Amino acid sequence: MTGTAGTAVSTTAARHEQRQLDWDGCLNVRDLGGLPTRDGRRTRTGAVVRADNLDRLTAEGQNSLLAHGVRTVVDLRDAVEYRPLLPTPDAVDLVRVPLDALAGSAWWARFGALDGTPLSFRPYLDHCRDAVAELVHAVARARDGAVVVHCGAGRDRTGLAALVLLALAGVEPAAIAEDYLLSAANLRPLWTILDRPEEEAGIARVLAAAGTTAEQALHQVLAEFDAPDWLPADDVAAVRARLLA
């Protein structure tokens, strides 16, 4: 039993390592391929990538993005965050879906204290359905090639996007939660650069106050996930077709 469990852990770790992408200038980039689904399949590599701030990409990093087959970038940030340090290559379509702005001031007044944790995901899915539909539509209608979805750190807005897309593809909840949790270690250098040493501790306090953990909160969201009931069926089908081999 011990040997079998050890092998399983090693295999999981290897898959995580294979999904991590080295795009110079970014810290938190990984392919959403290779994840197990409830019906025994795996998501397709080279279909959807999640990332942090692509504005930080060097020329070498942009070349890596293109070499990975990316042809559509879905930027989830608000306009105030745009920092076009390098021009978007002509070969790549850019689609803006500003999830924070689309939530609206009333949502932020009610749920803003949960930002930075997966506790914000359920309220967003409940109260910002038009924004979620816009995100899903952007991925569903992207042209052939990989789609990269990103925000600033690649954890919160991108974490919500990844959860929605993977859940629509029928990925196992444990695998979706595992993928979300990978961002914590990836982003530690960023919090040092930004002089935000309390970032992880602050998130832990919010979760502790709610009597849960990030993993438990993610599983709760996924247990109640009903987006296929209110998203356009053709967009759901297109996302599934893109992500599943």
Side-chain angles (χ1 to χ4, degrees):
M1 289 291 289
T2 302
T4 302
T7 300
V9 170
S10 298
T11 301
T12 301
R15 289 191 181 121
H16 287 167
E17 186 67 26
Q18 291 165 3
R19 294 197 301 113
Q20 299 282 357
L21 300 177
D22 183 11
W23 292 359
D24 192 44
C26 284
L27 296 169
N28 192 26
V29 187
R30 55 191 175 275
D31 196 298
L32 293 182
L35 298 175
T37 65
R38 294 174 185 267
D39 60 3
R41 290 185 283 177
R42 288 194 177 271
T43 51
R44 186 166 65 88
T45 298
V48 179
V49 174
R50 59 178 295 168
D52 52 319
N53 189 350
L54 297 184
D55 294 347
R56 291 193 293 263
L57 285 175
T58 64
E60 179 182 347
Q62 281 210 349
N63 288 336
S64 297
L65 177 149
L66 292 172
H68 198 71
V70 173
R71 296 298 176 262
T72 303
V73 170
V74 180
D75 186 347
L76 305 179
R77 299 171 302 163
D78 291 352
V80 70
E81 298 175 81
Y82 301 160
R83 298 288 186 274
L85 303 182
L86 288 171
T88 301
D90 293 337
V92 176
D93 295 336
L94 176 61
V95 184
R96 310 275 197 191
V97 185
L99 291 186
D100 282 355
L102 291 171
S105 58
W107 187 92
W108 280 99
R110 185 174 177 185
F111 301 109
L114 304 177
D115 187 40
T117 79
L119 293 171
S120 67
F121 290 177
R122 180 74 259 173
Y124 202 96
L125 289 167
D126 285 342
H127 300 285
C128 308
R129 292 185 173 184
D130 287 347
V132 175
E134 190 173 336
L135 158 69
V136 170
H137 184 77
V139 175
R141 301 307 161 195
R143 60 170 157 147
D144 289 345
V147 179
V148 58
V149 181
H150 83 100
C151 57
R155 180 193 63 190
D156 303 319
R157 289 164 289 188
T158 301
L160 173 65
L163 179 143
V164 169
L165 296 172
L166 293 175
L168 291 178
V171 172
E172 292 180 358
I176 298 175
E178 271 189 294
D179 177 73
Y180 174 91
L181 295 171
L182 290 175
S183 291
N186 290 347
L187 291 173
R188 282 170 192 147
L190 178 63
W191 308 136
T192 299
I193 292 168
L194 298 178
D195 194 25
R196 290 163 59 177
E198 290 296 309
E199 183 74 18
E200 289 188 84
I203 290 169
R205 284 192 292 271
V206 173
L207 290 166
T212 189
T213 65
E215 185 173 11
Q216 290 168 344
L218 289 162
H219 278 280
Q220 184 65 38
V221 173
L222 291 164
E224 301 169 349
F225 188 78
D226 62 349
D229 295 338
W230 45 265
L231 286 170
D234 55 346
D235 282 350
V236 172
V239 165
R240 288 181 55 81
R242 180 177 290 274
L243 273 166
L244 296 174

